[in-house]
Amino acid sequence: PDQLNPVAMSFTVLPGGKDWGFLEFVGASTPARHFDFDTLEPSLAAPGERADTVLRTVAGSLVAGHVVGIGDRHQDNIMIREIDGKHVFWQLDFKHVFGHKTRVDARPIAVPEGLRKVLERTGRWQEVKMLCSHAFLVLRRSAPLITQMSRALFVEHGGTRDEDVQRYLQHAFMLHATEVVAAAELVEEVETSSGSFSKRFKDLTHDISMAQKAKAKERAESNASADALVLQGSFQTMDS
C-alpha cells in the first residue's frame, strides 16, 4: 500500500553504566501471551486509522527485529499497547542482538499465531507482508549507514564484536542477492514465522520456565507463611 509507511514504536533507554540503566515505562501494554487478538477484528475489518496503526506497527516492528537480529522472541517480549482505541504492536528486551541467541531460540521474526489468524480472517495478512517488504527495502537501501551506526553504538560503546555486527547485517540485508530476491526471501520469513517449529518450541520452553518460576514463588510464599506461623506460636508460648 503506497499510502502507508511502516513504523516501529520506540522508547527511551538511558544507560547508567556498563551493566545497568533505565528504561522508559510504557503503559497500557499487554504481552502477546495474555492478549486476545480477536479484539483487533473490528479495527482491522474496516479501513481507517485504527487498522492502519496495527498494520504499520506490526510491519515496522517485525522488520526492525529482523534487521538487528533480536533473539529471545517469546510471547512475553512481544507487546500490544492500546492508545485511544488504537493498537500498537511493539517489542522489548534487546539483550540478544545481531544473531546472538539464547540456548533455545526462534528466528528474529516471530508473529504470534493469534495475530496471524485475525489478520487472515480480515484479509489483512497479504497487506502486512507487502508492508514488510516495503520497510525492508527502505532499510536495505540504507545498509551502509545502518552498518556504520550499529558499529558505533554496539562495537565502540557496547562491547559487541565488529565482525559479528558486519557479518550479521550482511546476512540480514541479504546483500548477496538482488532487491527482488531479497524482498521475496524476507516475505517468506514472515510467511513461515508463526508456524515454525523453532517458534513453537521457544514458546513451549518459555511457558514451562514461567510455570516453574510460579511454582517456586508459591513454595517460597508458603514456606514464609509457615515460618511466620511458627514464629507467632513461639511468641505466644513465651508470653504464656
Side-chain angles (χ1 to χ4, degrees), residues 33-34 74 76 203-217:
R33 171 204 292 270
H34 302 299
H74 54 72
D76 285 329
D203 289 340
L204 174 63
T205 56
H206 179 71
D207 289 345
I208 293 172
S209 175
M210 293 299 291
Q212 291 174 337
K213 290 178 181 179
K215 288 182 179 179
K217 182 180 178 181

Side-chain angles (χ1 to χ4, degrees), residues 74-157:
H74 54 72
Q75 299 215 50
D76 285 329
N77 282 342
I78 300 172
M79 310 292 288
I80 298 87
R81 185 185 191 193
E82 184 174 1
I83 309 172
D84 299 327
K86 297 187 289 289
H87 292 87
V88 175
F89 185 92
W90 64 285
Q91 302 190 59
L92 52 76
D93 192 351
F94 305 107
K95 180 180 179 180
H96 304 279
V97 292
F98 298 115
H100 183 269
K101 300 179 181 295
T102 59
R103 185 170 56 182
V104 177
D105 217 338
R107 291 176 292 184
I109 294 180
V111 180
E113 191 171 353
L115 174 62
R116 173 166 179 164
K117 287 180 178 179
V118 73
L119 288 168
E120 288 180 331
R121 283 200 308 271
T122 54
R124 299 287 194 169
W125 180 237
Q126 292 298 324
E127 198 170 348
V128 165
K129 291 191 291 183
M130 289 174 62
L131 282 170
C132 286
S133 174
H134 170 60
F136 174 68
L137 290 179
V138 168
L139 294 178
R140 189 178 188 267
R141 291 163 187 166
S142 298
L145 174 61
I146 292 172
T147 300
Q148 287 303 107
M149 290 176 62
S150 298
R151 294 174 67 191
L153 290 170
F154 292 95
V155 176
E156 295 179 20
H157 300 288

